[in-house]
Amino acid sequence: NSNVLLRSGAKISTQQHDLSTPVHLACAQGAIEIVKIMFHMQPEEKTAGLASCDIQKMSPLHCAAMFDDPDIVDYFQTI
């Protein structure tokens, strides 16, 4: 459960071996509710979470757009 991970201190800006973050993964899967929970629970990680780029130089916004998820793209414009 994502809430458990976030409450236990898992940072949404932590990069994996391919430099992607949990935010990248949620965006690529179109999981807008997970994206909202992550930014709601860790507002101090918003800048780092949105600015991070993976090994392909893609930000979470790029992932959302590439996987054709306008809801996440719109959400990012409001936060």
Side-chain angles (χ1 to χ4, degrees):
N1 180 311
S2 59
N3 287 341
V4 172
L5 292 172
L6 293 171
R7 283 192 197 118
S8 70
K11 297 289 184 195
I12 64 173
S13 61
T14 300
Q15 293 180 303
Q16 301 180 73
H17 66 280
D18 65 353
L19 304 180
S20 67
T21 65
V23 182
H24 283 89
L25 179 60
C27 290
Q29 294 180 351
I32 189 167
E33 293 306 317
I34 300 296
V35 171
K36 288 180 178 180
I37 288 169
M38 286 192 281
F39 285 111
H40 174 74
M41 292 186 74
Q42 294 185 9
E44 71 282 0
E45 292 289 310
K46 180 175 73 172
T47 300
L50 290 173
S52 64
C53 289
D54 64 15
I55 201 162
Q56 296 177 345
K57 307 289 187 221
M58 291 182 57
S59 70
L61 177 60
H62 290 124
C63 289
M66 186 174 88
F67 288 99
D68 197 27
D69 199 311
D71 293 335
I72 294 177
V73 172
D74 291 344
Y75 173 70
F76 282 160
Q77 293 176 357
T78 67
I79 60 172

